[in-house]
Amino acid sequence: MGTGTIRTLDVERAGHLSREFQPRVKTVRVLIGIGCKKKATSESNNARQYDHGGKGFMLAIIGGRVETISHGAMHSATVLIDDDGQILAVGSDILIPEDAHIIDAHGQYVLPGFIDSHTHLGVFNDGEGKEGADGNEMTNPLTPGIRAIDGFNPADVALIDAIQGGITAAWVTPGSGNVIGGQGATLRLYGQHLEEMILKAPSGMKSAMGENPKRVYGTDKKFPMTRMGVAKALREAFVAALNYRQQREKDPTHPRNLDHEALLMVIDGVIPLRTHAHRADDIATALRIGREFGVRQVIEHGTEAFKVVDELVKYQIPVSLGPALVARVKPEVRARGFHTPAILAKHGVKFSLITDHPVVPVQYLVVSAALAVREGLDEQTALRAITLNAAEICGVSDRIGSIEPGKDGDIVIWTGHPFDWRSQVDKTIIRGQVVYDRNRSNLEE
């Protein structure tokens, strides 16, 4: 490129942008080639953006209130996404390339795509009954070698609900019928093929305490039929994996075992053990077994987590919390409610909020967060619970969960604050491409 001109977009700088963030939000100077003098208006660039069939252009979202999550809110700010779908700059006084596609977000809220850190999307397909139920391999209480991605259906219609509801990623996990259900994966919720949707796989090993495995196997008088049996089965699985390692080290020709190899990823700290536990005693048992084998843990659901909050704080165990937007369908969820998030936040427990889709439809994740705010949870903490905290729990906070340079351009523009019941998703953007527009797109086509 030779001599050119620089086009400047002047926007108001947010008053409380942290010093830590300022060096990363620097002015972007892009030279435009000689003869390229056409002014890029929001109308012309927005129209061109929808006609583009692939990558190869930069996207600028201008004028909105940007909730970065990691560094506070910025008013009348710009988010610049490069032609590879990564966030290049966030802030004010950002220079926009002449050929960038522009979305005018004045009067709107710009947030990172929401993340549901516990779902069964694609493995329990919406509206398909038994034919679409691939989330529980209930033929053996210990199935760590199973992978959710092998049962995931990218054509599940619930993915459309998610994208239209501002949820761009989720942890997809096997169900809780088994003591160890298998490997979950963190997925983007848009794409034609599974491979382009994977953010991290595996990203956690699903296990379960309490009533679910008791019911599945105890009903047929099979092991385990009590909480004691569930705990024993989990311990035995870890011991068997450790014994398998010793056997393989002594004899490399010893036959491979996918279940043992999968559990060794947990033992070695590659992925966490993510344990379904509602009751306080089940949570305590899960933590006790985790300490015995020195594994990283996440408590899933945590209905009575407020009763063992000191233990969660002491051992720094995060909670994938919920869902609370349900009836008391079984005894172990009698204490469910939207008061728990505020209690955990007060004590410094890291948590995310979940729908457990299809238990609660995935698009109502934001409703759950809003109801937690109504019951005392700080608004920013609630937003963090469905963005950055969820990304950290799912092992992908280096890529998504906040709006900052270097992360993927997975962004949602809302007509108003997402906790306002009148607000709607205006646009959903995945890696710099608009995949849903309230006024134009039909994801079902």
Side-chain angles (χ1 to χ4, degrees):
M1 295 174 65
T3 305
T5 58
I6 300 176
R7 183 166 70 87
T8 305
L9 176 69
D10 293 317
V11 292
E12 179 184 355
R13 180 170 295 278
H16 55 284
L17 180 61
S18 70
R19 290 183 179 180
E20 177 187 356
F21 202 39
Q22 287 177 19
R24 303 184 69 183
V25 185
K26 57 185 179 181
T27 301
V28 180
R29 300 184 178 277
V30 181
L31 295 179
I32 301 170
I34 297 174
C36 300
K37 297 181 179 180
K38 180 179 178 181
K39 183 177 181 180
T41 65
S42 60
E43 291 81 6
S44 64
N45 278 274
N46 202 28
R48 286 192 291 130
Q49 197 273 336
Y50 292 107
D51 293 334
H52 200 287
K55 295 182 180 179
F57 60 86
M58 299 180 79
L59 176 67
I61 304 167
I62 66 171
R65 175 187 169 99
V66 178
E67 296 282 353
T68 68
I69 305 301
S70 55
H71 297 85
M74 304 164 64
H75 300 271
S76 299
T78 295
V79 180
L80 186 63
I81 303 173
D82 68 18
D83 56 7
D84 195 39
Q86 286 194 326
I87 299 171
L88 183 62
V90 187
S92 306
D93 303 323
I94 293 176
L95 304 182
I96 300 177
E98 180 70 21
D99 59 351
H101 297 274
I102 297 176
I103 293 178
D104 188 344
H106 282 87
Q108 297 182 309
Y109 282 71
V110 180
L111 290 101
F114 292 155
I115 304 164
D116 193 331
S117 64
H118 183 119
T119 77
H120 307 287
L121 288 160
V123 294
F124 286 109
N125 292 262
D126 245 22
E128 294 190 10
K130 183 183 294 186
E131 294 301 318
D134 286 305
N136 272 314
E137 181 59 48
M138 295 182 293
T139 56
N140 185 329
L142 301 170
T143 56
I146 282 177
R147 305 175 186 181
I149 58 174
D150 293 330
F152 180 79
N153 178 15
D156 183 358
V157 295
L159 302 184
I160 296 173
D161 296 334
I163 292 296
Q164 292 178 343
I167 297 95
T168 57
W171 192 54
V172 175
T173 176
S176 53
N178 292 342
V179 177
I180 302 179
Q183 303 160 45
T186 308
L187 305 179
R188 275 201 179 89
L189 302 183
Y190 182 85
Q192 291 185 330
H193 307 288
L194 172 66
E195 284 69 22
E196 65 184 287
M197 301 170 74
I198 293 176
L199 286 162
K200 186 174 184 179
S203 55
M205 180 67 71
K206 177 66 177 297
S207 64
M209 311 301 293
E211 295 301 321
N212 283 12
K214 275 183 54 182
R215 183 186 68 252
V216 169
Y217 295 95
T219 299
D220 295 328
K221 303 296 183 182
K222 294 179 180 179
F223 177 82
M225 61 183 298
T226 65
R227 282 178 162 80
M228 296 181 293
V230 170
K232 178 177 183 288
L234 186 56
R235 287 188 176 97
E236 285 185 334
F238 280 121
V239 170
L242 290 169
N243 291 340
Y244 169 78
R245 168 176 279 166
Q246 291 180 344
Q247 291 172 329
R248 289 279 294 178
E249 289 173 349
K250 292 179 181 178
D251 179 11
T253 65
H254 184 80
R256 290 184 60 191
N257 183 297
L258 296 181
D259 285 331
H260 297 333
E261 290 177 6
L263 274 187
L264 287 175
M265 289 192 293
V266 178
I267 292 171
D268 292 341
V270 177
I271 58 174
L273 182 68
R274 300 188 57 167
T275 305
H276 163 117
H278 286 280
R279 272 179 23 182
D281 58 330
D282 288 330
I283 297 172
T285 299
L287 298 184
R288 186 165 56 252
I289 294 173
R291 293 195 300 275
E292 289 174 18
F293 293 94
V295 301
R296 291 193 295 131
Q297 288 184 283
V298 179
I299 295 299
E300 303 295 316
H301 306 303
T303 299
E304 294 185 357
F306 62 92
K307 295 183 179 180
V308 290
V309 67
D310 291 343
E311 290 287 291
L312 296 171
V313 171
K314 180 178 179 179
Y315 297 107
Q316 298 183 328
I317 305 297
V319 181
S320 198
L321 184 63
L325 196 62
V326 293
R328 297 178 179 88
V329 293
K330 52 185 178 179
E332 60 186 2
V333 299
R334 284 181 297 184
R336 98 284 181 266
F338 289 102
H339 60 286
T340 304
I343 296 172
L344 297 191
K346 179 181 178 181
H347 288 84
V349 176
K350 179 187 291 185
F351 66 91
S352 56
L353 295 172
I354 67 171
T355 65
D356 195 16
H357 178 94
V359 176
V360 173
V362 65
Q363 64 268 32
Y364 298 133
L365 178 64
V366 66
V367 176
S368 297
L371 290 172
V373 171
R374 190 185 69 177
E375 296 301 316
L377 184 63
D378 174 76
E379 189 174 276
Q380 288 301 311
T381 304
L383 285 175
R384 193 178 182 98
I386 54 176
T387 53
L388 192 52
N389 279 8
E392 291 171 352
I393 287 172
C394 293
V396 291
S397 59
D398 59 326
R399 298 188 61 181
I400 59 174
S402 59
I403 299 178
E404 53 186 311
K407 290 198 174 182
D408 294 349
D410 293 1
I411 290 173
V412 178
I413 303 173
W414 291 78
T415 59
H417 194 288
F419 293 164
D420 185 333
W421 65 269
R422 296 164 296 185
S423 297
Q424 295 178 289
V425 171
D426 190 58
K427 294 177 181 65
T428 301
I429 298 163
I430 301 288
R431 297 204 66 189
Q433 296 188 66
V434 176
V435 299
Y436 168 71
D437 185 314
R438 181 171 59 101
N439 299 310
R440 298 173 185 249
S441 295
N442 183 354
L443 285 168
E444 298 181 77
E445 292 181 352

Coordinates of all heavy atoms in Angstrom, one line a residue, residues 7 9 39-50 57-63 78-80 96-106 427 434:
R7 N -9.4 7.4 7.8 CA -10.7 7.9 8.2 C -10.9 7.6 9.6 O -10.6 6.6 10.2 CB -11.8 7.1 7.4 CG -13.2 7.5 7.7 CD -14.2 6.9 6.7 NE -14.3 5.5 6.9 CZ -15.2 4.9 7.7 NH1 -16.0 5.7 8.5 NH2 -15.3 3.7 7.8
L9 N -13.2 7.7 13.2 CA -14.5 7.7 13.8 C -14.3 8.2 15.2 O -13.6 7.6 16.0 CB -15.1 6.3 13.8 CG -16.4 6.1 14.6 CD1 -17.5 6.9 13.8 CD2 -16.8 4.7 14.8
K39 N -16.9 7.3 1.3 CA -17.2 7.3 2.7 C -18.0 6.1 3.0 O -19.0 5.8 2.4 CB -17.9 8.6 3.2 CG -18.1 8.6 4.7 CD -18.7 9.9 5.1 CE -18.9 10.0 6.6 NZ -19.5 11.3 7.0
A40 N -17.7 5.4 4.1 CA -18.4 4.2 4.5 C -19.5 4.5 5.4 O -19.2 4.8 6.6 CB -17.5 3.1 5.1
T41 N -20.7 4.6 5.0 CA -21.8 5.0 5.9 C -22.3 3.7 6.5 O -22.1 2.6 6.0 CB -23.0 5.6 5.1 OG1 -23.5 4.7 4.2 CG2 -22.5 6.9 4.4
S42 N -23.0 3.9 7.7 CA -23.6 2.7 8.3 C -24.6 1.9 7.5 O -24.6 0.7 7.4 CB -24.2 3.1 9.7 OG -25.3 4.0 9.5
E43 N -25.3 2.7 6.7 CA -26.4 2.1 5.8 C -25.7 1.2 4.7 O -26.1 0.1 4.5 CB -27.3 3.1 5.3 CG -28.2 3.8 6.3 CD -27.5 4.9 7.0 OE1 -26.3 5.2 6.7 OE2 -28.1 5.4 8.0
S44 N -24.8 1.8 4.0 CA -24.2 1.1 2.9 C -23.4 -0.1 3.3 O -23.4 -1.1 2.7 CB -23.3 2.1 2.1 OG -22.2 2.5 2.8
N45 N -22.6 0.1 4.4 CA -21.8 -1.0 4.9 C -22.6 -2.1 5.5 O -22.3 -3.3 5.3 CB -20.8 -0.5 5.9 CG -19.6 0.1 5.2 OD1 -18.6 -0.6 4.8 ND2 -19.6 1.4 5.0
N46 N -23.7 -1.8 6.2 CA -24.5 -2.8 6.7 C -25.1 -3.7 5.7 O -25.2 -4.9 5.8 CB -25.6 -2.2 7.6 CG -26.2 -3.1 8.6 OD1 -25.5 -4.0 9.1 ND2 -27.4 -2.9 9.0
A47 N -25.6 -3.1 4.6 CA -26.2 -3.8 3.5 C -25.1 -4.7 2.8 O -25.4 -5.9 2.5 CB -26.8 -2.8 2.5
R48 N -23.9 -4.2 2.6 CA -22.9 -5.0 2.0 C -22.6 -6.2 2.9 O -22.3 -7.3 2.4 CB -21.7 -4.2 1.7 CG -21.8 -3.2 0.6 CD -20.5 -2.6 0.1 NE -19.9 -1.7 1.1 CZ -18.7 -1.8 1.6 NH1 -17.9 -2.8 1.2 NH2 -18.3 -1.0 2.5
Q49 N -22.6 -6.0 4.2 CA -22.2 -7.0 5.1 C -23.1 -8.3 4.9 O -22.6 -9.4 5.0 CB -22.3 -6.5 6.5 CG -21.5 -7.4 7.5 CD -22.4 -8.5 8.0 OE1 -23.6 -8.4 8.0 NE2 -21.8 -9.6 8.5
Y50 N -24.4 -8.1 4.7 CA -25.3 -9.2 4.6 C -25.1 -10.0 3.2 O -25.4 -11.1 3.1 CB -26.7 -8.8 4.8 CG -27.0 -8.3 6.2 CD1 -27.1 -7.0 6.5 CD2 -27.0 -9.3 7.2 CE1 -27.3 -6.6 7.8 CE2 -27.2 -8.9 8.5 CZ -27.4 -7.5 8.8 OH -27.6 -7.1 10.0
F57 N -13.4 -9.6 5.3 CA -13.7 -8.2 5.5 C -13.7 -8.0 7.0 O -13.8 -8.9 7.8 CB -15.1 -7.8 5.0 CG -16.2 -8.6 5.6 CD1 -16.8 -8.2 6.8 CD2 -16.7 -9.7 4.9 CE1 -17.9 -8.9 7.3 CE2 -17.8 -10.5 5.5 CZ -18.3 -10.1 6.7
M58 N -13.5 -6.7 7.4 CA -13.5 -6.3 8.8 C -14.9 -5.8 9.1 O -15.6 -5.3 8.3 CB -12.4 -5.3 9.1 CG -11.0 -5.7 8.8 SD -9.8 -4.5 9.1 CE -9.7 -4.6 10.9
L59 N -15.3 -6.0 10.4 CA -16.6 -5.6 10.9 C -16.4 -4.6 12.0 O -15.6 -4.9 12.9 CB -17.4 -6.8 11.3 CG -18.8 -6.5 11.9 CD1 -19.7 -5.9 10.8 CD2 -19.4 -7.7 12.5
A60 N -17.1 -3.5 11.9 CA -17.1 -2.5 13.0 C -18.5 -2.3 13.5 O -19.4 -2.0 12.8 CB -16.5 -1.1 12.5
I61 N -18.6 -2.5 14.8 CA -19.9 -2.3 15.5 C -19.7 -1.0 16.3 O -18.9 -0.8 17.2 CB -20.2 -3.4 16.5 CG1 -20.2 -4.8 15.8 CG2 -21.6 -3.2 17.2 CD1 -20.2 -6.0 16.7
I62 N -20.5 0.0 15.9 CA -20.2 1.4 16.4 C -21.4 1.9 17.2 O -22.6 1.6 17.0 CB -20.0 2.4 15.2 CG1 -21.2 2.6 14.3 CG2 -18.8 1.9 14.3 CD1 -21.1 3.7 13.3
G63 N -21.0 2.7 18.2 CA -22.0 3.6 18.9 C -22.8 2.9 20.0 O -23.5 3.6 20.7
T78 N -16.8 1.4 20.1 CA -16.7 0.7 18.9 C -16.0 -0.7 19.2 O -15.0 -0.7 20.0 CB -15.8 1.5 17.9 OG1 -16.5 2.6 17.5 CG2 -15.5 0.6 16.6
V79 N -16.5 -1.7 18.5 CA -15.8 -3.0 18.5 C -15.4 -3.3 17.1 O -16.2 -3.3 16.2 CB -16.7 -4.1 19.0 CG1 -16.0 -5.5 19.0 CG2 -17.2 -3.8 20.4
L80 N -14.1 -3.5 16.9 CA -13.6 -3.8 15.5 C -13.1 -5.2 15.5 O -12.3 -5.7 16.3 CB -12.4 -2.8 15.2 CG -11.8 -2.9 13.8 CD1 -12.9 -2.5 12.8 CD2 -10.6 -2.0 13.7
I96 N -11.4 3.3 11.6 CA -12.0 2.2 10.9 C -11.6 2.1 9.4 O -11.6 3.1 8.7 CB -13.6 2.2 11.0 CG1 -14.0 2.3 12.4 CG2 -14.2 1.1 10.2 CD1 -15.5 2.4 12.6
P97 N -11.2 1.0 8.9 CA -10.8 0.9 7.5 C -11.9 1.3 6.6 O -13.1 1.0 6.9 CB -10.4 -0.6 7.3 CG -10.1 -1.1 8.7 CD -11.0 -0.3 9.6
E98 N -11.6 1.9 5.5 CA -12.6 2.4 4.5 C -13.5 1.2 4.1 O -14.7 1.4 3.8 CB -11.9 3.0 3.3 CG -12.9 3.6 2.3 CD -13.7 4.8 2.7 OE1 -13.2 5.4 3.7 OE2 -14.7 5.1 2.1
D99 N -13.0 0.0 3.9 CA -13.8 -1.1 3.4 C -14.4 -1.9 4.4 O -15.0 -3.0 4.2 CB -13.0 -1.9 2.4 CG -11.8 -2.5 3.1 OD1 -11.5 -2.2 4.3 OD2 -11.1 -3.4 2.5
A100 N -14.3 -1.5 5.7 CA -15.0 -2.3 6.8 C -16.5 -2.2 6.7 O -17.1 -1.2 6.2 CB -14.5 -1.8 8.1
H101 N -17.1 -3.3 7.1 CA -18.6 -3.3 7.1 C -19.0 -2.8 8.5 O -18.4 -3.2 9.5 CB -19.1 -4.7 6.9 CG -18.7 -5.3 5.6 ND1 -19.5 -5.0 4.5 CD2 -17.7 -6.0 5.2 CE1 -19.0 -5.6 3.4 NE2 -17.9 -6.2 3.8
I102 N -20.0 -1.9 8.5 CA -20.3 -1.2 9.8 C -21.7 -1.6 10.2 O -22.7 -1.6 9.4 CB -20.2 0.3 9.6 CG1 -18.8 0.7 9.3 CG2 -20.7 1.1 10.8 CD1 -18.6 2.2 8.9
I103 N -21.9 -1.8 11.5 CA -23.2 -2.0 12.1 C -23.4 -0.9 13.1 O -22.6 -0.7 14.0 CB -23.3 -3.4 12.8 CG1 -23.3 -4.5 11.8 CG2 -24.6 -3.4 13.6 CD1 -23.4 -5.9 12.4
D104 N -24.4 -0.1 12.9 CA -24.7 1.0 13.8 C -25.5 0.5 15.0 O -26.6 0.1 14.8 CB -25.5 2.1 13.0 CG -25.7 3.4 13.8 OD1 -25.5 3.3 15.1 OD2 -26.0 4.4 13.2
A105 N -24.9 0.5 16.2 CA -25.6 0.0 17.4 C -25.9 1.1 18.3 O -26.1 0.9 19.5 CB -24.7 -1.0 18.0
H106 N -26.1 2.4 17.9 CA -26.4 3.4 18.7 C -27.8 3.1 19.4 O -28.7 2.6 18.8 CB -26.6 4.7 18.0 CG -25.3 5.4 17.6 ND1 -24.5 5.1 16.5 CD2 -24.5 6.3 18.3 CE1 -23.4 5.8 16.5 NE2 -23.4 6.5 17.5
K427 N -29.1 -8.7 16.7 CA -28.2 -9.4 15.8 C -27.3 -10.4 16.7 O -26.8 -10.0 17.8 CB -27.3 -8.5 15.0 CG -28.0 -7.6 14.0 CD -27.1 -6.6 13.4 CE -27.9 -5.7 12.4 NZ -28.8 -4.8 13.1
V434 N -22.5 -12.0 10.8 CA -23.9 -11.9 11.3 C -24.6 -13.2 10.9 O -24.8 -13.5 9.7 CB -24.7 -10.7 10.8 CG1 -26.1 -10.7 11.2 CG2 -24.0 -9.4 11.2

